[in-house]
Amino acid sequence: DIDCVFEALMNTDIDIDSLEAHSHLDEAWIKEVLKKMRMKLKWSKLKQDKVRENKDAVRRPQADPALLIPRSPVVTIMGHVDHGKTTLLDKLRKTQVAAMEAGGITQHIGAFLVSLPSGERITFLDTPGHAAFSAMRARGAQVTDIVILVVAADDGVMKQTVESIQHARDAQVPIVLAINKCDKAEADPEKVKKELLAYDVVCEDYGGDVQAVHISAVTGDNLMALAEATIALAEMLELKADPTGPVEGTVIESFTDKGRGPVTTAIIQRGTLRKGSILVAGKSWAKVRLMFDENGKPIQEAYPSMPVGIVGWRDLPSAGDEILEVESEPRARAVVDWRKYEQEQEKNKEDLKIIEEKRKEHQEAHHKAREKYGTLHWKERSFLKYQEKKEQKLLKPKEKEERDSPVLPIIIKGDVDGSVEAIVNIMSTYDASHECELQLVHFGVGDVSENDVNLAETFHGVIYGFNVNAGNVIQKSAAKKGVKIKLHKIIYRLIEDVQEELSFRLPCTV
Ligand code: GDP
């Protein structure tokens, strides 16, 4: 019974391989179930073997305040499309490059540092727009300390301006307002401030605490004032971090470099990253081979709030993935294994749900059949079903001349009730060709007997055995009577054999 198979499957103690060997249920989805169950077994074994003790890597508990040192703010620029986010980022980055006399080629690594004359530094996340911001937030990553909201003075508050405000609010990140395009004749910064009141963004002029800076991203006007306003806000936030112990950070961007393999940009949030550190992020791990800054320059150490390119990953982690340093490579592997295992468990849960649905479907069909056939023994049920399907009227040998079409009378013997029932069921659903008809003469459990041979002789039939024997005496007797005995150990071979036999009985069409 299929329900029994399921019950057995649900119980992971069973030997699935032997189950399949004995299983007569060769429907495709059963195979699929078996495959999944095997996977599940493999994983649970893995769990027992090594993963369980190790479990996941997690962030450390909060640091002792005595260890904390000030860190620079991490800033995301947000705002409506075309209000000047990209231009502003470019200008900020270029100011920086110009400031460093080397003037190297900047490399897009998703974030960059701007140093102020005062020595203060700001880390800008270089992926404008709130798509990246929300993607990170969705992964639970909280990297941004401050949002610079860009609003074009000639356009005012627009749809994405409002969305940006909402995102900042959801993440509980304070805003600095950058009223852009103030070089334009039609610029009206006051209108922008007034419009923002409706969204509870109250600028200092209106008695609120939001700093507003009138800038032009194109001319570079007032960008320093914007940076200073950002630093002022950061000071109020008292941003601090612990530069000691294992590293914690977040992946900002990840990409595959032809020469260097998987590369990530990260913002370090705790500890100090050095070459040789072992990191895990998502379902990947790294032994840090090389670190570089936004100018592509190799660096030896990365501190909290610093953006850093990291080379040495085994696979590509995703933006927003948490980076954690672990003590050894085996530990990193164990963590990654554990995470893959966890994911597999989730998938398993879904699979089990599907299996459960199938089981219910089957049960319903079973109940319907019950209603129809009452409490008959399965043999009687199977036979009734078979007869219904084939509209078989008689179990009497027909004389050759009487036959309207050739018939293949068969006798089925199997090792257990289950297998016989399965074969009978398959026969009953077997869509026989119109030219040749299948006639089930007899079926039962046990080795092929003399009685079977006699029946086969009478009906000019073939005996099919599944996982049963036919003794020497029986074989000889069958040979004498011209009766074929066909023994099989695999259901589908038996079925194929029946089909072949059927085609033999077809009248010759030349
Ligand atoms: P984003 O979609 O927010 O990244 O906007 P962009 O940075 O691509 O800017 C959109 C357009 O506005 C571009 O044509 C920019 O040259 C222009 N723009 C950006 N900032 C300013 C500005 O301060 N003044 C003027 N006049 N144009 C600007």
Side-chain angles (χ1 to χ4, degrees):
D1 187 271
I2 205 165
D3 290 350
C4 297
V5 175
F6 269 113
E7 250 159 50
L9 278 171
M10 295 301 178
N11 174 1
T12 47
D13 291 337
I14 50 138
D15 175 4
I16 277 189
D17 290 293
S18 74
L19 182 86
E20 193 180 46
H22 287 287
S23 170
H24 46 276
L25 304 154
D26 58 352
E27 291 159 49
W29 69 268
I30 286 273
K31 279 197 180 149
E32 199 52 33
V33 166
L34 284 169
K35 206 172 92 193
K36 281 169 185 165
M37 284 297 173
R38 254 191 220 109
M39 186 82 102
K40 191 183 159 191
L41 281 182
K42 196 185 124 197
W43 280 110
S44 52
K45 219 168 134 26
L46 185 65
K47 182 185 178 184
Q48 285 156 17
D49 289 354
K50 64 172 193 177
V51 181
R52 187 160 36 188
E53 325 79 79
N54 284 309
K55 276 216 171 164
D56 208 347
V58 286
R59 283 188 188 248
R60 285 180 283 154
Q62 286 215 322
D64 178 351
L67 291 173
L68 299 178
I69 57 160
R71 64 171 178 86
S72 28
V74 179
V75 174
T76 300
I77 295 180
M78 292 173 104
H80 194 69
V81 67
D82 275 347
H83 280 198
K85 299 179 294 289
T86 314
T87 312
L88 176 58
L89 277 165
D90 282 350
K91 201 71 175 187
L92 286 165
R93 201 191 289 111
K94 273 188 202 127
T95 322
Q96 197 54 26
V97 173
M100 303 184 311
E101 68 282 349
I105 305 146
T106 51
Q107 192 171 4
H108 176 86
I109 64 164
F112 61 92
L113 265 174
V114 168
S115 295
L116 276 70
S118 61
E120 307 274 9
R121 307 214 287 182
I122 303 173
T123 299
F124 283 96
L125 293 189
D126 186 353
T127 35
H130 46 245
F133 186 80
S134 350
M136 300 255 269
R137 287 257 308 142
R139 290 165 166 274
Q142 178 77 295
V143 186
T144 303
D145 301 306
I146 294 169
V147 164
I148 291 183
L149 179 65
V150 176
V151 185
D154 60 339
D155 203 19
V157 173
M158 302 299 284
K159 186 166 168 269
Q160 284 159 300
T161 313
V162 177
E163 284 171 13
S164 301
I165 294 167
Q166 201 49 54
H167 281 301
R169 214 159 260 161
D170 290 347
Q172 296 184 315
V173 173
I175 289 173
V176 172
L177 179 62
I179 303 179
N180 193 28
K181 307 200 187 182
C182 287
D183 58 296
K184 282 190 155 183
E186 60 271 42
D188 188 354
E190 294 312 312
K191 188 177 145 245
V192 172
K193 290 185 202 171
K194 270 188 209 136
E195 283 174 351
L196 283 171
L197 290 173
Y199 303 95
D200 262 342
V201 176
V202 186
C203 295
E204 286 170 333
D205 312 358
Y206 290 85
D209 55 5
V210 176
Q211 306 176 77
V213 187
H214 300 193
I215 62 160
S216 165
V218 164
T219 66
D221 258 10
N222 255 351
L223 291 201
M224 208 38 80
L226 178 63
E228 276 159 9
T230 307
I231 289 294
L233 179 55
E235 274 166 7
M236 274 172 48
L237 297 175
E238 295 189 333
L239 302 171
K240 284 181 176 159
D242 163 20
T244 67
V247 166
E248 295 174 8
T250 300
V251 176
I252 302 299
E253 278 191 7
S254 65
F255 54 93
T256 304
D257 183 277
K258 252 194 206 153
R260 298 182 290 193
V263 177
T264 65
T265 313
I267 299 283
I268 303 303
Q269 288 161 313
R270 191 174 181 181
T272 304
L273 184 65
R274 296 187 177 87
K275 235 167 97 172
S277 295
I278 311 291
L279 306 176
V280 293
K283 286 181 223 48
S284 176
W285 67 276
K287 178 169 182 172
V288 180
R289 228 168 49 223
L290 179 75
M291 301 188 310
F292 57 92
D293 65 10
E294 69 265 31
N295 302 308
K297 235 175 57 196
I299 51 175
Q300 300 307 316
E301 289 184 328
Y303 308 100
S305 289
M306 255 177 90
V308 56
I310 303 171
V311 178
W313 294 98
R314 297 301 192 265
D315 297 292
L316 205 59
S318 311
D321 278 347
E322 183 180 51
I323 293 178
L324 295 169
E325 183 175 359
V326 294
E327 62 273 18
S328 65
E329 287 186 30
R331 171 87 178 108
R333 281 201 198 92
V335 168
V336 169
D337 276 349
W338 168 261
R339 290 175 178 184
K340 286 179 180 167
Y341 165 76
E342 288 274 272
Q343 191 190 29
E344 204 60 45
Q345 286 293 87
E346 277 308 306
K347 262 199 244 149
N348 259 329
K349 268 187 217 155
E350 281 163 35
D351 287 347
L352 285 176
K353 228 190 273 169
I354 295 168
I355 292 168
E356 181 60 21
E357 273 164 27
K358 288 270 182 197
R359 202 185 64 79
K360 276 201 187 121
E361 257 173 47
H362 182 82
Q363 225 168 22
E364 262 166 42
H366 189 74
H367 284 317
K368 269 189 200 145
R370 261 276 154 79
E371 275 168 27
K372 197 163 172 185
Y373 300 113
T375 51
L376 291 176
H377 187 259
W378 69 263
K379 285 187 185 182
E380 297 160 295
R381 273 204 317 273
S382 296
F383 199 69
L384 280 175
K385 268 194 241 168
Y386 175 81
Q387 280 189 317
E388 235 172 47
K389 278 248 162 57
K390 293 287 168 195
E391 294 176 9
Q392 188 99 12
K393 278 155 277 162
L394 24 139
L395 267 177
K396 201 171 66 184
K398 292 180 184 174
E399 284 311 311
K400 261 194 176 141
E401 314 74 71
E402 278 179 46
R403 289 185 195 157
D404 29 10
S405 66
V407 172
L408 174 62
I410 56 169
I411 291 160
I412 295 169
K413 297 301 289 281
D415 54 346
V416 289
D417 276 358
S419 58
V420 178
E421 184 181 19
I423 295 166
V424 169
N425 281 343
I426 293 168
M427 295 296 170
S428 67
T429 53
Y430 177 68
D431 199 21
S433 65
H434 299 298
E435 295 103 319
C436 190
E437 207 183 329
L438 201 60
Q439 184 189 27
L440 185 63
V441 176
H442 172 71
F443 58 96
V445 173
D447 286 343
V448 180
S449 67
E450 190 61 47
N451 182 43
D452 298 329
V453 175
N454 290 337
L455 264 173
E457 189 193 12
T458 320
F459 283 87
H460 311 287
V462 180
I463 300 171
Y464 284 93
F466 177 72
N467 271 339
V468 295
N469 294 315
N472 263 345
V473 183
I474 305 292
Q475 296 270 14
K476 267 184 205 150
S477 146
K480 216 168 76 192
K481 292 170 178 164
V483 170
K484 276 198 239 176
I485 299 179
K486 299 189 155 196
L487 302 177
H488 290 273
K489 293 212 179 297
I490 299 168
I491 297 256
Y492 73 81
R493 289 241 189 285
L494 190 152
I495 304 297
E496 271 173 8
D497 193 339
V498 172
Q499 288 169 351
E500 225 168 75
E501 198 65 39
L502 275 170
S503 58
F504 280 151
R505 304 252 166 152
L506 288 180
C508 270
T509 47
V510 182

